[in-house]
Amino acid sequence: MGELELGGEVDRCLALVAYDALSAWLVAELKYRGVRNALPWLVTALAQLVAASGARPDVITWIPAARHNRRRRGFDQAELLARPLARRLGVPARSLLRRRPGTGQTGRTRIERLGGPELVTPRATQGTVLVVDDVITTGASMRAAAASLQSAGATTVQGAAVAYKR
């Protein structure tokens, strides 16, 4: 799919594919059922997309799942994408964002999603940060991540996701 225009503090954002029936199924298999068969392919494709875009992150992080979702699933799907992507690109992966308690984005209406999650960056960061997520819908989570990271010192914040829902 390529580059998206999210605005706000997000300097650049990339998505592999449009969110359609196939990508929705693929993401749901990973996110809700823990099926990881497609993970190597997704990471390879994301790495190629990031490299082709000319993005050169200093560090990769991810938008953390809501605490109750992570606890219920036993994993964070964005972290499952971010860590091997970082290895593939030869940069460190760091947990730079914390989600404050509140409602997750899943299942909320578009209007409700626009407020985004409340994300904080508990320690200083610098350089170019690539933020990974599974799906971008309104872009509110990515904008919240970028604002938090920049307030902690990041000079550039870029995003990457498997799918973009228009």
Side-chain angles (χ1 to χ4, degrees), residues 19-42:
Y19 191 79
D20 60 12
L22 180 58
S23 61
W25 173 80
L26 189 63
V27 168
E29 286 294 296
L30 172 64
K31 189 173 189 169
Y32 302 115
R33 290 175 275 292
V35 177
R36 300 178 187 190
N37 298 356
L39 213 49
W41 176 84
L42 291 171

Side-chain angles (χ1 to χ4, degrees), residues 27-82:
V27 168
E29 286 294 296
L30 172 64
K31 189 173 189 169
Y32 302 115
R33 290 175 275 292
V35 177
R36 300 178 187 190
N37 298 356
L39 213 49
W41 176 84
L42 291 171
V43 169
T44 297
L46 278 170
Q48 291 171 346
L49 182 64
V50 170
S53 76
R56 298 208 189 319
D58 296 306
V59 64
I60 294 179
T61 194
W62 56 93
I63 296 179
R67 181 173 286 139
H68 65 278
N69 287 336
R70 183 182 177 114
R71 203 171 23 250
R72 187 177 71 243
R73 295 175 192 149
F75 60 90
D76 185 320
Q77 70 280 357
E79 182 180 2
L80 290 178
L81 292 162

